[in-house]
PDB file of all heavy atoms in Angstrom:
ATOM      1  N   SER P  27      28.483  26.509   6.163  1.00 89.00           N
ATOM      2  CA  SER P  27      29.596  27.507   6.142  1.00 89.00           C
ATOM      3  C   SER P  27      29.502  28.307   4.922  1.00 89.00           C
ATOM      4  O   SER P  27      28.824  27.872   3.896  1.00 89.00           O
ATOM      5  CB  SER P  27      30.981  26.746   6.175  1.00 89.00           C
ATOM      6  OG  SER P  27      31.104  26.078   4.929  1.00 89.00           O
ATOM      7  N   GLU P  29      31.672  28.613   2.669  1.00 91.00           N
ATOM      8  CA  GLU P  29      32.183  27.787   1.555  1.00 91.00           C
ATOM      9  C   GLU P  29      31.225  26.744   0.955  1.00 91.00           C
ATOM     10  O   GLU P  29      31.095  26.661  -0.224  1.00 91.00           O
ATOM     11  CB  GLU P  29      33.462  27.083   2.000  1.00 91.00           C
ATOM     12  CG  GLU P  29      34.604  28.029   2.444  1.00 91.00           C
ATOM     13  CD  GLU P  29      34.539  28.573   3.883  1.00 91.00           C
ATOM     14  OE1 GLU P  29      33.714  28.063   4.605  1.00 91.00           O
ATOM     15  OE2 GLU P  29      35.126  29.609   4.090  1.00 91.00           O
ATOM     16  N   ILE P  30      30.481  26.100   1.866  1.00 90.00           N
ATOM     17  CA  ILE P  30      29.542  25.203   1.419  1.00 90.00           C
ATOM     18  C   ILE P  30      28.348  25.861   0.772  1.00 90.00           C
ATOM     19  O   ILE P  30      27.779  25.355  -0.228  1.00 90.00           O
ATOM     20  CB  ILE P  30      29.034  24.312   2.637  1.00 90.00           C
ATOM     21  CG1 ILE P  30      30.174  23.428   3.209  1.00 90.00           C
ATOM     22  CG2 ILE P  30      27.764  23.379   2.320  1.00 90.00           C
ATOM     23  CD1 ILE P  30      30.730  22.445   2.224  1.00 90.00           C
ATOM     24  N   LYS P  33      29.223  26.469  -2.686  1.00 92.00           N
ATOM     25  CA  LYS P  33      29.048  25.213  -3.451  1.00 92.00           C
ATOM     26  C   LYS P  33      27.580  25.022  -3.829  1.00 92.00           C
ATOM     27  O   LYS P  33      27.264  24.549  -4.925  1.00 92.00           O
ATOM     28  CB  LYS P  33      29.506  24.029  -2.706  1.00 92.00           C
ATOM     29  CG  LYS P  33      31.017  24.066  -2.311  1.00 92.00           C
ATOM     30  CD  LYS P  33      31.943  23.583  -3.449  1.00 92.00           C
ATOM     31  CE  LYS P  33      33.371  23.527  -3.024  1.00 92.00           C
ATOM     32  NZ  LYS P  33      34.150  22.936  -3.996  1.00 92.00           N
ATOM     33  N   ASP P 109      28.745   8.104   4.770  1.00 78.00           N
ATOM     34  CA  ASP P 109      29.170   7.662   3.418  1.00 78.00           C
ATOM     35  C   ASP P 109      30.032   6.461   3.633  1.00 78.00           C
ATOM     36  O   ASP P 109      30.857   6.305   4.528  1.00 78.00           O
ATOM     37  CB  ASP P 109      30.003   8.799   2.769  1.00 78.00           C
ATOM     38  CG  ASP P 109      29.173   9.999   2.270  1.00 78.00           C
ATOM     39  OD1 ASP P 109      28.011   9.699   1.952  1.00 78.00           O
ATOM     40  OD2 ASP P 109      29.682  11.095   2.270  1.00 78.00           O
ATOM     41  N   LEU P 111      33.115   5.255   2.540  1.00 86.00           N
ATOM     42  CA  LEU P 111      34.243   6.005   2.041  1.00 86.00           C
ATOM     43  C   LEU P 111      34.932   5.311   0.877  1.00 86.00           C
ATOM     44  O   LEU P 111      35.605   5.957   0.025  1.00 86.00           O
ATOM     45  CB  LEU P 111      35.240   6.368   3.238  1.00 86.00           C
ATOM     46  CG  LEU P 111      34.653   7.267   4.231  1.00 86.00           C
ATOM     47  CD1 LEU P 111      35.647   7.468   5.438  1.00 86.00           C
ATOM     48  CD2 LEU P 111      34.213   8.626   3.639  1.00 86.00           C
ATOM     49  N   GLN P 114      32.878   6.261  -1.927  1.00 87.00           N
ATOM     50  CA  GLN P 114      33.087   7.696  -2.197  1.00 87.00           C
ATOM     51  C   GLN P 114      34.368   7.850  -2.972  1.00 87.00           C
ATOM     52  O   GLN P 114      34.514   8.643  -3.853  1.00 87.00           O
ATOM     53  CB  GLN P 114      33.013   8.406  -0.913  1.00 87.00           C
ATOM     54  CG  GLN P 114      33.045   9.857  -1.111  1.00 87.00           C
ATOM     55  CD  GLN P 114      32.916  10.591   0.205  1.00 87.00           C
ATOM     56  OE1 GLN P 114      33.834  10.410   1.095  1.00 87.00           O
ATOM     57  NE2 GLN P 114      31.926  11.411   0.438  1.00 87.00           N
ATOM     58  N   ALA P 115      35.448   7.212  -2.542  1.00 88.00           N
ATOM     59  CA  ALA P 115      36.732   7.368  -3.175  1.00 88.00           C
ATOM     60  C   ALA P 115      36.650   6.919  -4.633  1.00 88.00           C
ATOM     61  O   ALA P 115      37.190   7.553  -5.521  1.00 88.00           O
ATOM     62  CB  ALA P 115      37.837   6.477  -2.436  1.00 88.00           C
ATOM     63  N   ALA P 116      35.967   5.762  -4.882  1.00 87.00           N
ATOM     64  CA  ALA P 116      35.806   5.323  -6.280  1.00 87.00           C
ATOM     65  C   ALA P 116      35.061   6.350  -7.065  1.00 87.00           C
ATOM     66  O   ALA P 116      35.487   6.646  -8.268  1.00 87.00           O
ATOM     67  CB  ALA P 116      35.054   3.956  -6.285  1.00 87.00           C
ATOM     68  N   PHE P 118      34.952   9.625  -6.556  1.00 89.00           N
ATOM     69  CA  PHE P 118      35.909  10.753  -6.717  1.00 89.00           C
ATOM     70  C   PHE P 118      36.828  10.504  -7.862  1.00 89.00           C
ATOM     71  O   PHE P 118      37.088  11.417  -8.669  1.00 89.00           O
ATOM     72  CB  PHE P 118      36.644  11.040  -5.514  1.00 89.00           C
ATOM     73  CG  PHE P 118      35.923  11.690  -4.359  1.00 89.00           C
ATOM     74  CD1 PHE P 118      36.415  11.576  -3.035  1.00 89.00           C
ATOM     75  CD2 PHE P 118      34.696  12.364  -4.541  1.00 89.00           C
ATOM     76  CE1 PHE P 118      35.712  12.153  -1.958  1.00 89.00           C
ATOM     77  CE2 PHE P 118      34.019  13.027  -3.504  1.00 89.00           C
ATOM     78  CZ  PHE P 118      34.552  12.861  -2.220  1.00 89.00           C
ATOM     79  N   MET P 119      37.369   9.313  -7.943  1.00 88.00           N
ATOM     80  CA  MET P 119      38.336   8.947  -9.007  1.00 88.00           C
ATOM     81  C   MET P 119      37.657   8.945 -10.400  1.00 88.00           C
ATOM     82  O   MET P 119      38.410   9.191 -11.419  1.00 88.00           O
ATOM     83  CB  MET P 119      38.939   7.674  -8.723  1.00 88.00           C
ATOM     84  CG  MET P 119      39.849   7.641  -7.391  1.00 88.00           C
ATOM     85  SD  MET P 119      40.425   6.095  -6.910  1.00 88.00           S
ATOM     86  CE  MET P 119      41.522   5.730  -8.241  1.00 88.00           C
ATOM     87  N   GLU P 123      37.779  17.178 -12.735  1.00 88.00           N
ATOM     88  CA  GLU P 123      38.138  18.242 -11.793  1.00 88.00           C
ATOM     89  C   GLU P 123      36.975  19.289 -11.687  1.00 88.00           C
ATOM     90  O   GLU P 123      36.599  19.724 -10.585  1.00 88.00           O
ATOM     91  CB  GLU P 123      39.381  18.975 -12.247  1.00 88.00           C
ATOM     92  CG  GLU P 123      39.823  20.005 -11.287  1.00 88.00           C
ATOM     93  CD  GLU P 123      40.525  19.442 -10.045  1.00 88.00           C
ATOM     94  OE1 GLU P 123      41.101  18.334 -10.115  1.00 88.00           O
ATOM     95  OE2 GLU P 123      40.478  20.101  -8.999  1.00 88.00           O
ATOM     96  N   LEU P 126      34.323  17.741  -9.508  1.00 89.00           N
ATOM     97  CA  LEU P 126      34.760  17.718  -8.099  1.00 89.00           C
ATOM     98  C   LEU P 126      34.618  19.086  -7.436  1.00 89.00           C
ATOM     99  O   LEU P 126      34.325  19.126  -6.290  1.00 89.00           O
ATOM    100  CB  LEU P 126      36.216  17.117  -8.068  1.00 89.00           C
ATOM    101  CG  LEU P 126      36.474  15.716  -8.383  1.00 89.00           C
ATOM    102  CD1 LEU P 126      37.915  15.438  -8.444  1.00 89.00           C
ATOM    103  CD2 LEU P 126      35.736  14.755  -7.334  1.00 89.00           C
ATOM    104  N   SER P 127      34.887  20.097  -8.250  1.00 87.00           N
ATOM    105  CA  SER P 127      34.833  21.428  -7.650  1.00 87.00           C
ATOM    106  C   SER P 127      33.417  21.897  -7.181  1.00 87.00           C
ATOM    107  O   SER P 127      33.235  22.752  -6.389  1.00 87.00           O
ATOM    108  CB  SER P 127      35.366  22.502  -8.676  1.00 87.00           C
ATOM    109  OG  SER P 127      34.441  22.632  -9.744  1.00 87.00           O
ATOM    110  N   LEU P 128      32.355  21.178  -7.709  1.00 86.00           N
ATOM    111  CA  LEU P 128      31.000  21.516  -7.319  1.00 86.00           C
ATOM    112  C   LEU P 128      30.653  20.878  -5.991  1.00 86.00           C
ATOM    113  O   LEU P 128      29.669  21.243  -5.334  1.00 86.00           O
ATOM    114  CB  LEU P 128      30.090  20.950  -8.420  1.00 86.00           C
ATOM    115  CG  LEU P 128      30.146  21.653  -9.737  1.00 86.00           C
ATOM    116  CD1 LEU P 128      29.259  20.914 -10.770  1.00 86.00           C
ATOM    117  CD2 LEU P 128      29.675  23.062  -9.670  1.00 86.00           C
ATOM    118  N   LEU P 129      31.399  19.867  -5.558  1.00 86.00           N
ATOM    119  CA  LEU P 129      31.031  19.080  -4.385  1.00 86.00           C
ATOM    120  C   LEU P 129      31.366  19.841  -3.105  1.00 86.00           C
ATOM    121  O   LEU P 129      32.251  20.681  -3.128  1.00 86.00           O
ATOM    122  CB  LEU P 129      31.803  17.747  -4.306  1.00 86.00           C
ATOM    123  CG  LEU P 129      31.528  16.829  -5.563  1.00 86.00           C
ATOM    124  CD1 LEU P 129      32.438  15.557  -5.485  1.00 86.00           C
ATOM    125  CD2 LEU P 129      30.099  16.540  -5.645  1.00 86.00           C
ATOM    126  N   PRO P 130      30.672  19.536  -2.004  1.00 84.00           N
ATOM    127  CA  PRO P 130      30.892  20.229  -0.769  1.00 84.00           C
ATOM    128  C   PRO P 130      32.112  19.717   0.053  1.00 84.00           C
ATOM    129  O   PRO P 130      32.101  19.486   1.216  1.00 84.00           O
ATOM    130  CB  PRO P 130      29.609  19.991   0.019  1.00 84.00           C
ATOM    131  CG  PRO P 130      29.145  18.638  -0.456  1.00 84.00           C
ATOM    132  CD  PRO P 130      29.508  18.652  -1.910  1.00 84.00           C
ATOM    133  N   PHE P 131      33.259  19.496  -0.753  1.00 86.00           N
ATOM    134  CA  PHE P 131      34.452  19.003  -0.099  1.00 86.00           C
ATOM    135  C   PHE P 131      35.648  19.883  -0.637  1.00 86.00           C
ATOM    136  O   PHE P 131      35.583  20.308  -1.701  1.00 86.00           O
ATOM    137  CB  PHE P 131      34.743  17.555  -0.453  1.00 86.00           C
ATOM    138  CG  PHE P 131      33.638  16.634  -0.144  1.00 86.00           C
ATOM    139  CD1 PHE P 131      32.779  16.112  -1.165  1.00 86.00           C
ATOM    140  CD2 PHE P 131      33.471  16.178   1.111  1.00 86.00           C
ATOM    141  CE1 PHE P 131      31.665  15.330  -0.894  1.00 86.00           C
ATOM    142  CE2 PHE P 131      32.439  15.247   1.439  1.00 86.00           C
ATOM    143  CZ  PHE P 131      31.612  14.874   0.406  1.00 86.00           C
ATOM    144  N   THR P 132      36.694  20.014   0.216  1.00 87.00           N
ATOM    145  CA  THR P 132      37.837  20.773  -0.230  1.00 87.00           C
ATOM    146  C   THR P 132      38.720  19.730  -1.070  1.00 87.00           C
ATOM    147  O   THR P 132      38.527  18.530  -0.921  1.00 87.00           O
ATOM    148  CB  THR P 132      38.714  21.213   0.926  1.00 87.00           C
ATOM    149  OG1 THR P 132      39.164  20.140   1.654  1.00 87.00           O
ATOM    150  CG2 THR P 132      37.868  22.146   1.843  1.00 87.00           C
ATOM    151  N   THR P 133      39.566  20.214  -1.832  1.00 89.00           N
ATOM    152  CA  THR P 133      40.486  19.397  -2.607  1.00 89.00           C
ATOM    153  C   THR P 133      41.292  18.478  -1.664  1.00 89.00           C
ATOM    154  O   THR P 133      41.498  17.331  -1.951  1.00 89.00           O
ATOM    155  CB  THR P 133      41.512  20.282  -3.393  1.00 89.00           C
ATOM    156  OG1 THR P 133      40.737  21.110  -4.243  1.00 89.00           O
ATOM    157  CG2 THR P 133      42.443  19.426  -4.248  1.00 89.00           C
ATOM    158  N   GLU P 134      41.648  18.955  -0.493  1.00 91.00           N
ATOM    159  CA  GLU P 134      42.420  18.187   0.457  1.00 91.00           C
ATOM    160  C   GLU P 134      41.552  17.011   1.077  1.00 91.00           C
ATOM    161  O   GLU P 134      42.023  15.891   1.125  1.00 91.00           O
ATOM    162  CB  GLU P 134      42.916  19.068   1.582  1.00 91.00           C
ATOM    163  CG  GLU P 134      43.914  18.446   2.491  1.00 91.00           C
ATOM    164  CD  GLU P 134      45.202  18.091   1.762  1.00 91.00           C
ATOM    165  OE1 GLU P 134      45.607  18.764   0.859  1.00 91.00           O
ATOM    166  OE2 GLU P 134      45.812  17.074   2.230  1.00 91.00           O
ATOM    167  N   GLU P 135      40.303  17.286   1.318  1.00 90.00           N
ATOM    168  CA  GLU P 135      39.426  16.288   1.782  1.00 90.00           C
ATOM    169  C   GLU P 135      39.199  15.145   0.743  1.00 90.00           C
ATOM    170  O   GLU P 135      39.247  13.990   1.104  1.00 90.00           O
ATOM    171  CB  GLU P 135      38.036  16.836   2.173  1.00 90.00           C
ATOM    172  CG  GLU P 135      38.054  17.721   3.386  1.00 90.00           C
ATOM    173  CD  GLU P 135      36.787  18.491   3.577  1.00 90.00           C
ATOM    174  OE1 GLU P 135      36.140  18.928   2.635  1.00 90.00           O
ATOM    175  OE2 GLU P 135      36.362  18.650   4.773  1.00 90.00           O
ATOM    176  N   ILE P 136      39.069  15.508  -0.470  1.00 90.00           N
ATOM    177  CA  ILE P 136      39.016  14.539  -1.556  1.00 90.00           C
ATOM    178  C   ILE P 136      40.216  13.704  -1.717  1.00 90.00           C
ATOM    179  O   ILE P 136      40.123  12.492  -1.765  1.00 90.00           O
ATOM    180  CB  ILE P 136      38.592  15.236  -2.913  1.00 90.00           C
ATOM    181  CG1 ILE P 136      37.190  15.827  -2.811  1.00 90.00           C
ATOM    182  CG2 ILE P 136      38.721  14.285  -4.116  1.00 90.00           C
ATOM    183  CD1 ILE P 136      36.827  16.744  -3.933  1.00 90.00           C
ATOM    184  N   LYS P 137      41.368  14.335  -1.695  1.00 91.00           N
ATOM    185  CA  LYS P 137      42.621  13.612  -1.749  1.00 91.00           C
ATOM    186  C   LYS P 137      42.765  12.630  -0.626  1.00 91.00           C
ATOM    187  O   LYS P 137      43.223  11.492  -0.772  1.00 91.00           O
ATOM    188  CB  LYS P 137      43.797  14.631  -1.763  1.00 91.00           C
ATOM    189  CG  LYS P 137      43.923  15.319  -3.101  1.00 91.00           C
ATOM    190  CD  LYS P 137      45.144  16.248  -3.050  1.00 91.00           C
ATOM    191  CE  LYS P 137      45.209  17.044  -4.397  1.00 91.00           C
ATOM    192  NZ  LYS P 137      46.284  18.075  -4.301  1.00 91.00           N
ATOM    193  N   ASN P 138      42.442  13.079   0.609  1.00 91.00           N
ATOM    194  CA  ASN P 138      42.533  12.158   1.741  1.00 91.00           C
ATOM    195  C   ASN P 138      41.635  10.940   1.660  1.00 91.00           C
ATOM    196  O   ASN P 138      42.084   9.883   2.015  1.00 91.00           O
ATOM    197  CB  ASN P 138      42.179  12.943   3.023  1.00 91.00           C
ATOM    198  CG  ASN P 138      43.345  13.908   3.461  1.00 91.00           C
ATOM    199  OD1 ASN P 138      44.495  13.674   3.114  1.00 91.00           O
ATOM    200  ND2 ASN P 138      42.953  14.895   4.269  1.00 91.00           N
ATOM    201  N   VAL P 139      40.402  11.114   1.169  1.00 89.00           N
ATOM    202  CA  VAL P 139      39.529  10.018   0.982  1.00 89.00           C
ATOM    203  C   VAL P 139      40.094   9.039  -0.029  1.00 89.00           C
ATOM    204  O   VAL P 139      40.166   7.821   0.223  1.00 89.00           O
ATOM    205  CB  VAL P 139      38.134  10.440   0.604  1.00 89.00           C
ATOM    206  CG1 VAL P 139      37.309   9.259   0.188  1.00 89.00           C
ATOM    207  CG2 VAL P 139      37.456  11.173   1.767  1.00 89.00           C
ATOM    208  N   ILE P 140      40.648   9.483  -1.131  1.00 89.00           N
ATOM    209  CA  ILE P 140      41.178   8.658  -2.234  1.00 89.00           C
ATOM    210  C   ILE P 140      42.336   7.909  -1.643  1.00 89.00           C
ATOM    211  O   ILE P 140      42.576   6.683  -1.849  1.00 89.00           O
ATOM    212  CB  ILE P 140      41.563   9.461  -3.416  1.00 89.00           C
ATOM    213  CG1 ILE P 140      40.183   9.952  -4.051  1.00 89.00           C
ATOM    214  CG2 ILE P 140      42.396   8.635  -4.415  1.00 89.00           C
ATOM    215  CD1 ILE P 140      40.439  10.929  -5.244  1.00 89.00           C
ATOM    216  N   LEU P 141      43.280   8.622  -0.858  1.00 89.00           N
ATOM    217  CA  LEU P 141      44.530   8.012  -0.464  1.00 89.00           C
ATOM    218  C   LEU P 141      44.255   6.963   0.691  1.00 89.00           C
ATOM    219  O   LEU P 141      44.888   5.961   0.732  1.00 89.00           O
ATOM    220  CB  LEU P 141      45.442   9.071   0.125  1.00 89.00           C
ATOM    221  CG  LEU P 141      46.133   9.975  -0.978  1.00 89.00           C
ATOM    222  CD1 LEU P 141      46.902  11.123  -0.234  1.00 89.00           C
ATOM    223  CD2 LEU P 141      46.999   9.130  -1.856  1.00 89.00           C
ATOM    224  N   ASN P 142      43.237   7.251   1.557  1.00 89.00           N
ATOM    225  CA  ASN P 142      42.991   6.415   2.745  1.00 89.00           C
ATOM    226  C   ASN P 142      42.010   5.269   2.524  1.00 89.00           C
ATOM    227  O   ASN P 142      41.927   4.340   3.295  1.00 89.00           O
ATOM    228  CB  ASN P 142      42.572   7.248   3.880  1.00 89.00           C
ATOM    229  CG  ASN P 142      43.650   8.203   4.393  1.00 89.00           C
ATOM    230  OD1 ASN P 142      44.741   7.691   4.651  1.00 89.00           O
ATOM    231  ND2 ASN P 142      43.357   9.429   4.592  1.00 89.00           N
ATOM    232  N   PHE P 143      41.271   5.358   1.407  1.00 82.00           N
ATOM    233  CA  PHE P 143      40.321   4.374   1.149  1.00 82.00           C
ATOM    234  C   PHE P 143      40.296   3.894  -0.328  1.00 82.00           C
ATOM    235  O   PHE P 143      39.378   4.090  -1.094  1.00 82.00           O
ATOM    236  CB  PHE P 143      38.866   4.896   1.521  1.00 82.00           C
ATOM    237  CG  PHE P 143      38.704   5.329   2.894  1.00 82.00           C
ATOM    238  CD1 PHE P 143      38.968   6.598   3.356  1.00 82.00           C
ATOM    239  CD2 PHE P 143      38.375   4.396   3.878  1.00 82.00           C
ATOM    240  CE1 PHE P 143      38.861   6.949   4.653  1.00 82.00           C
ATOM    241  CE2 PHE P 143      38.343   4.678   5.206  1.00 82.00           C
ATOM    242  CZ  PHE P 143      38.495   6.001   5.626  1.00 82.00           C
TER     243      PHE P 143
END
Side-chain angles (χ1 to χ4, degrees):
S27 69
E29 297 80 17
I30 296 297
K33 298 278 187 170
D109 288 329
L111 295 177
Q114 189 179 59
F118 287 159
M119 293 174 66
E123 187 73 28
L126 291 170
S127 71
L128 294 170
L129 301 178
F131 305 102
T132 65
T133 302
E134 192 63 32
E135 289 170 324
I136 293 169
K137 286 179 184 175
N138 284 338
V139 169
I140 291 171
L141 290 173
N142 292 311
F143 299 93

